[in-house]
Amino acid sequence: MASWSPQRALSHRQGWRKTALVNTVLVTILTSTLAILVAVIAANSGSLTKNLFFYQGSCQTSTQINVALHLAINTIAMGIVASSNFFMQVLNAPSRAEVDAAHRNRKMVDIGVQSAKNMWHVSRFKLVSALIFGLSSLPIHLLFNSVVFQSDFLGGNWQTTFAAEPFVDNNTTYSLPGAYLAPSGFWPQYPPEYRDSSFRPGYYGFGERINITQYTNASSPIVSGIARAAGSASNWKRLDPLTCRRQYIACEPRRTYGDVVMVISAGNNTLHKNGWTLEDVVDTSVFNITSAPFWGDLGLLPPANQPNTLWYSALCSTTQDPMRTTGICRTSCGTSIGGEEDFNNQCPVPPRGSEPLDASLCQNSFVRNTSVFSNDKNWTIVNEYPRFYGANDSLALALNNTPFQRDATLKLQHRDGFRVDEFGQWEVEYCLAESVSDRCKVGASGILLLVVTICAALKTVQCLVVLWRLGEDPLVTPGDAIESFLVRPDQATKDVCTLSSHRFSAYWRAQEGVTESEGSWPVPGPRNWRRPSDKLLVSVRPGTWMRVYGLFGVSLAVAVWFFATAVTQLGEKYRVDGERSPFRMTGLDHSYENGLLDATWMPKDQLIPSILLSNTPQVVLSLNYFVYNALWTRMHSELEWNAFALSYRPLRVTSPKGQQTSTYRLQLPYLYSVPLVVGSILLHWLVANAIYLVMIEGDYLTENESGVYINVGYSTGPMLAGIIVCSAMAAVPLLFGIYHKLKGSMTVMGNNSLVISASCHPASSAPDDKLTKLLSPGYISESSAESLALMANAETRTGIGYKEDAGLHGRIALSQGRLKWGEVGSGETLAEEGLARTVKIGHLGFAGEDEHVSTPEQGKMYQ
């Protein structure tokens, strides 16, 4: 391998090296930007192992920020990966020495397109460098989209307080635990003698069970919550009974309202409008004997004649199975508001920010008082007293309805003499609900961004290494190969000028009648010219089409199956009137309500597995884009090749000389490459919004024991859009290949090095007068001497042993001019053995503007 020097770099600051330098600068800028962001996250979070939440507030705003940042992430990722792909194309392109070595071993290589087969024919340095570029892209695909994430907060806890209207006036007093004489959740359990092993351990549906002694501690959650409600509820949102019932009966997290004071009338509305005295609610003749000492010992015995504006208060919680597979949503205060503790979860979940839907849509809920789900503007709660249930609930209910059993139950509750008949029904006048704001967050993971930055930095270093070490000029474009083979024809392909890439396809060999004994390797000799099909489609080998569309088909089939499964699961999850919900389209917000992956084999609440799983489609998409881009490259290369049969045109090479041209691109023109890049960014963005990481804080989800629920979510809207876009993009090259014609009568290149080589043999040596014209001032570039010197150096490196002669000078000049392919030279006359006639043998190849080039004749012999 040739050593690098500044002088050599300066002399090669054109062609692929010039574009490579631009890509290196781009990757360096992007890597530096990522490094700065890593430093910012570390400085603000205190550690790279901690996430930095840079926004907290409205969920709608957080969704917009998240969507915009993911679009930026995919654009940056595409810039980094595209730049490294440029280098991979250069590294995958063989040098002339590597091509000659492959031909000597009866192997062909691909020119002008990235190919896996080339990996076995290039140098170890190029192979290792290409692997570094490729492998360093994997973490970018797997991790970059999860660097920025949206975290939702789903609170399931609140405090419900039932009180008389004066309670919300700071000037009134109240006594704990309230006139109902019951702690939150009632009592932890019945004494053992009142229950067997099948009985429930206590009461359900009256809030979270707490120890009665907490009411003697002013800083306990229950007492401080009551005090806060008494002092602040007058400033809370007033809700009518219907709105309040729908809000708090709904099985959903506390997004709109939190703590609530339900202003009720219990008993005679006129007598108890300002509260309830002890003498009002209990028969003191019974209560004072058995229950009063219990309350008195705790210091919680209320005055007999002083109205108590507090009726009852409970710590409430709502929990939901995130997968909605259990069929149950559990609210600990369900019974206290007239229902039961457990509610069936088959309820449509309203969009974030909207009011809860009518609970009457919820089917088969376990309710004793069906009026709580009605549209009645009045709200009556029937709660005679908490009952205990055993193995035979119907028997227990019957026993509770007898005076003896009822009195025994009240005794256990330390409420002897409670007037059940009068105070077993509450009428909700209105509610005062505390408004809660969204607590959605957008954060960034420092450790994931650090890994991505390291990979980007590795690419940057490798870009510089390739620029420093890669001394030989690879045959990156078909023009590079044509120039090389014109200057130094390859003897391995002499006298096979009709060779087309079809020869190397078993299918096309059978179509053209090539016998099996002839094989795929070209045998020198004259052959009849048969113009290949003019459809661009056939220029790409059948195996290539099958590999590309096989990968497309499998990927799309999996995507369609996943989409159909998601739609089915969402239909089962959100039933309406007992029937499966119709087609449900979800949007760009990364909400758990869109859908969650229900994979039993995947551990829940595990960050790394969820990140890898949610970003695996990005890797598959990149693989599809790789083969998709290569397919377009093959077709465009064929169009560029075929154009030489139509008119004289210069070669497009990476290092132009004379009339040769060069572009910043290696293969595809911007008319093709820009839409491909935009389409790739769009698909990556859609996939990022179709399959994403879900992180939920709060206590609403039953599986959220660690405080953060982690899973993989999906959204059917972006999923369907991605399938449509991907299907459309997959159909375009097929339709393009079918309807686009190859207008020139020319061999089919198929990016095959042997075909290019076979088409570049001269008809005969140039005569002296023609050589004089070729070498005249102004015909060839002033860099001819340098070109010859570099050619001599290349011959020394490769050991080919070509001598510099007059023909070499002429061929160099030819390669730098405008060329056309077709029948050239006067040809030879060949006597057919055994026949009394001769056959004119022509030659097909490239020639300059000073030579006549004609279209090959159908059926004529050429070699």
Side-chain angles (χ1 to χ4, degrees):
M1 182 179 295
S3 60
W4 186 91
S5 66
Q7 292 78 12
R8 181 176 178 81
L10 288 173
S11 66
H12 284 73
R13 190 172 291 173
Q14 55 182 338
W16 75 266
R17 292 180 184 275
K18 185 176 181 179
T19 310
L21 186 60
V22 172
N23 280 277
T24 302
V25 172
L26 174 63
V27 174
T28 302
I29 293 173
L30 294 177
T31 302
S32 301
T33 302
L34 295 179
I36 292 173
L37 293 176
V38 169
V40 170
I41 292 176
N44 286 274
S45 64
S47 172
L48 282 176
T49 59
K50 297 180 181 179
N51 297 326
L52 173 65
F53 291 96
F54 50 86
Y55 175 81
Q56 178 173 340
S58 166
C59 291
Q60 182 178 1
T61 303
S62 68
T63 296
Q64 294 171 348
I65 294 174
N66 187 50
V67 170
L69 288 179
H70 273 89
L71 182 59
I73 282 174
N74 284 283
T75 303
I76 293 173
M78 179 56 66
I80 294 175
V81 174
S83 295
S84 69
N85 282 348
F86 176 91
F87 279 90
M88 290 181 67
Q89 290 183 54
V90 172
L91 294 167
N92 188 256
S95 66
R96 176 58 191 274
E98 291 163 343
V99 172
D100 289 339
H103 289 182
R104 286 197 300 270
N105 293 320
R106 300 175 69 86
K107 301 289 184 182
M108 52 81 65
V109 293
D110 282 325
I111 303 294
V113 65
Q114 284 183 267
S115 171
K117 71 174 64 174
N118 285 10
M119 295 175 62
W120 309 109
H121 300 287
V122 297
S123 68
R124 182 174 299 178
F125 168 75
K126 293 164 73 173
L127 175 60
V128 172
S129 297
L131 288 176
I132 291 174
F133 280 118
L135 294 177
S136 60
S137 295
L138 273 178
I140 295 177
H141 291 306
L142 287 172
L143 303 178
F144 205 179
N145 267 293
S146 294
V147 166
V148 174
F149 56 88
Q150 182 179 1
S151 174
D152 201 350
F153 181 89
L154 301 180
N157 293 335
W158 80 97
Q159 186 165 344
T160 297
T161 300
F162 298 90
E165 192 168 34
F167 173 80
V168 297
D169 185 351
N170 239 349
N171 296 324
T172 62
T173 58
Y174 56 87
S175 300
L176 298 173
Y180 198 45
L181 293 174
S184 174
F186 270 72
W187 303 100
Q189 60 182 23
Y190 288 113
E193 62 267 22
Y194 285 89
R195 59 187 175 91
D196 59 30
S197 60
S198 64
F199 279 2
R200 294 186 179 186
Y203 301 112
Y204 285 82
F206 279 79
E208 301 297 325
R209 292 189 291 270
I210 63 173
N211 194 301
I212 190 64
T213 58
Q214 288 195 29
Y215 285 90
T216 63
N217 181 1
S219 61
S220 66
I222 185 68
V223 175
S224 60
I226 293 172
R228 193 172 70 88
S232 305
S234 60
N235 298 319
W236 293 356
K237 177 74 172 180
R238 180 169 177 147
L239 306 177
D240 61 75
L242 176 60
T243 304
C244 187
R245 180 172 68 244
R246 289 181 175 178
Q247 177 65 229
Y248 286 92
I249 202 72
C251 181
E252 64 170 25
R254 298 287 96 223
R255 281 202 178 107
T256 309
Y257 301 107
D259 293 354
V260 62
V261 174
M262 296 184 180
V263 177
I264 65 169
S265 58
N268 186 294
N269 292 349
T270 302
L271 295 176
H272 308 302
K273 187 174 183 62
N274 295 321
W276 307 266
T277 66
L278 181 62
E279 291 178 341
D280 290 335
V281 298
V282 300
D283 181 351
T284 54
S285 64
V286 178
F287 180 81
N288 289 339
I289 296 175
T290 57
S291 297
F294 171 81
W295 298 103
D297 291 343
L298 292 170
L300 298 176
L301 182 64
N305 299 315
Q306 180 178 325
N308 191 351
T309 59
L310 175 64
W311 179 253
Y312 177 71
S313 186
L315 300 176
C316 305
S317 66
T318 299
T319 55
Q320 173 67 64
D321 170 20
M323 304 306 302
R324 289 178 173 258
T325 56
T326 63
I328 295 296
C329 170
R330 176 154 293 174
T331 173
S332 63
C333 287
T335 307
S336 68
I337 57 177
E340 291 285 358
E341 178 200 18
D342 296 340
F343 289 86
N344 188 280
N345 71 351
Q346 306 298 338
C347 306
V349 175
R352 181 183 285 114
S354 65
E355 291 296 323
L357 297 179
D358 187 349
S360 63
L361 295 175
C362 305
Q363 300 297 314
N364 304 320
S365 296
F366 300 102
V367 292
R368 290 186 294 115
N369 184 0
T370 56
S371 67
V372 297
F373 281 172
S374 72
N375 291 320
D376 191 350
K377 294 183 179 180
N378 298 317
W379 187 5
T380 300
I381 299 174
V382 179
N383 275 319
E384 296 178 356
Y385 51 89
R387 309 160 186 263
F388 64 88
Y389 301 93
N392 189 335
D393 284 354
S394 60
L395 176 60
L397 286 169
L399 291 174
N400 271 314
N401 285 331
T402 65
F404 173 80
Q405 290 295 333
R406 183 184 64 187
D407 292 344
T409 301
L410 291 174
K411 183 176 182 179
L412 289 174
Q413 299 168 356
H414 306 288
R415 297 194 304 156
D416 279 316
F418 186 82
R419 304 182 194 279
V420 174
D421 295 335
E422 184 177 355
F423 295 98
Q425 182 170 298
W426 315 336
E427 191 76 27
V428 178
E429 303 290 340
Y430 62 89
C431 297
L432 295 173
E434 182 182 23
S435 298
V436 294
S437 58
D438 286 340
R439 285 184 280 178
C440 289
K441 302 177 183 177
V442 181
S445 171
I447 191 67
L448 294 183
L449 184 58
L450 177 62
V451 174
V452 172
T453 304
I454 291 174
C455 292
L458 181 60
K459 289 180 180 293
T460 303
V461 172
Q462 194 60 35
C463 289
L464 296 172
V465 170
V466 171
L467 283 172
W468 183 271
R469 291 288 308 276
L470 191 60
E472 76 269 19
D473 288 324
L475 307 181
V476 181
T477 68
D480 290 333
I482 294 172
E483 177 187 28
S484 177
F485 287 124
L486 282 176
V487 173
R488 292 190 295 115
D490 182 8
Q491 297 305 302
T493 57
K494 185 176 175 55
D495 293 335
V496 285
C497 60
T498 61
L499 182 66
S500 283
S501 64
H502 292 164
R503 178 79 179 207
F504 300 90
S505 165
Y507 171 79
W508 287 112
R509 286 202 304 273
Q511 294 295 311
E512 295 181 0
V514 178
T515 62
E516 186 174 341
S517 60
E518 292 182 80
S520 61
W521 189 257
V523 178
R527 283 184 173 80
N528 294 102
W529 170 253
R530 295 177 57 188
R531 178 179 177 175
S533 171
D534 62 351
K535 292 184 183 295
L536 180 60
L537 179 76
V538 302
S539 67
V540 179
R541 292 188 292 269
T544 301
W545 285 109
M546 287 189 288
R547 284 193 298 271
V548 172
Y549 279 90
L551 182 59
F552 282 175
V554 171
S555 301
L556 279 173
V558 172
V560 170
W561 171 83
F562 193 88
F563 174 75
T565 303
V567 170
T568 302
Q569 289 182 350
L570 289 176
E572 294 292 339
K573 179 177 177 180
Y574 302 105
R575 286 178 171 268
V576 176
D577 296 331
E579 299 295 331
R580 190 165 64 86
S581 173
F583 179 74
R584 183 181 176 89
M585 184 70 70
T586 52
L588 295 175
D589 58 321
H590 290 190
S591 171
Y592 85 100
E593 293 171 353
N594 294 339
L596 292 172
L597 187 64
D598 187 14
T600 56
W601 46 266
M602 192 188 80
K604 296 294 188 297
D605 298 333
Q606 297 295 314
L607 181 61
I608 299 302
S610 297
I611 287 175
L612 296 178
L613 185 59
S614 63
N615 287 290
T616 297
Q618 299 285 349
V619 179
V620 177
L621 183 59
S622 295
L623 182 60
N624 276 275
Y625 176 77
F626 176 83
V627 298
Y628 187 74
N629 185 283
L631 178 62
W632 276 109
T633 301
R634 288 181 182 277
M635 289 195 293
H636 179 264
S637 297
E638 197 64 42
L639 291 173
E640 190 175 19
W641 168 267
N642 187 261
F644 282 104
L646 301 175
S647 62
Y648 291 93
R649 55 197 304 115
L651 293 175
R652 183 178 64 85
V653 297
T654 52
S655 298
K657 295 176 286 291
Q659 299 183 63
Q660 295 172 345
T661 62
S662 181
T663 56
Y664 277 95
R665 61 184 175 88
L666 290 183
Q667 308 301 343
L668 287 175
Y670 296 129
L671 181 63
Y672 294 81
S673 60
V674 171
L676 287 182
V677 171
V678 172
S680 177
I681 293 175
L682 175 62
L683 279 175
H684 278 285
W685 179 69
L686 287 173
V687 169
N689 287 286
I691 308 291
Y692 48 83
L693 180 69
V694 170
M695 294 183 66
I696 299 176
E697 298 178 277
D699 40 35
Y700 174 66
L701 300 180
T702 56
E703 296 185 12
N704 192 6
E705 299 177 359
S706 64
V708 180
Y709 176 78
I710 300 174
N711 201 348
V712 176
Y714 58 81
S715 182
T716 54
M719 199 181 303
L720 178 61
I723 291 173
I724 292 173
V725 172
C726 192
S727 300
M729 291 182 66
V732 171
L734 189 62
L735 296 175
F736 187 82
I738 292 174
Y739 293 105
H740 210 88
K741 304 295 184 181
L742 295 172
K743 299 178 181 179
S745 179
M746 190 176 182
T747 58
V748 176
M749 175 189 63
N751 298 96
N752 190 311
S753 61
L754 287 170
V755 175
I756 299 174
S757 173
S759 299
C760 295
H761 288 272
S764 60
S765 299
D768 293 339
D769 58 340
K770 185 179 294 184
L771 177 60
T772 302
K773 178 181 178 182
L774 289 173
L775 296 179
S776 63
Y779 191 86
I780 62 175
S781 69
E782 296 178 358
S783 60
S784 299
E786 179 190 357
S787 300
L788 293 174
L790 291 176
M791 186 66 67
N793 290 336
E795 291 170 4
T796 302
R797 291 198 309 272
T798 59
I800 300 299
Y802 249 85
K803 294 188 298 181
E804 188 177 330
D805 54 20
L808 175 61
H809 288 75
R811 292 192 298 272
I812 291 176
L814 175 66
S815 68
Q816 295 180 13
R818 295 168 62 85
L819 303 174
K820 185 178 180 181
W821 184 93
E823 183 176 351
V824 295
S826 58
E828 300 179 11
T829 301
L830 178 67
E832 286 193 324
E833 190 174 336
L835 297 176
R837 66 189 182 97
T838 60
V839 178
K840 188 102 171 192
I841 305 297
H843 179 75
L844 300 177
F846 287 94
E849 292 179 288
D850 60 320
E851 292 188 62
H852 175 70
V853 180
S854 60
T855 302
E857 297 179 21
Q858 188 76 4
K860 185 176 179 178
M861 302 286 284
Y862 294 97
Q863 75 171 24

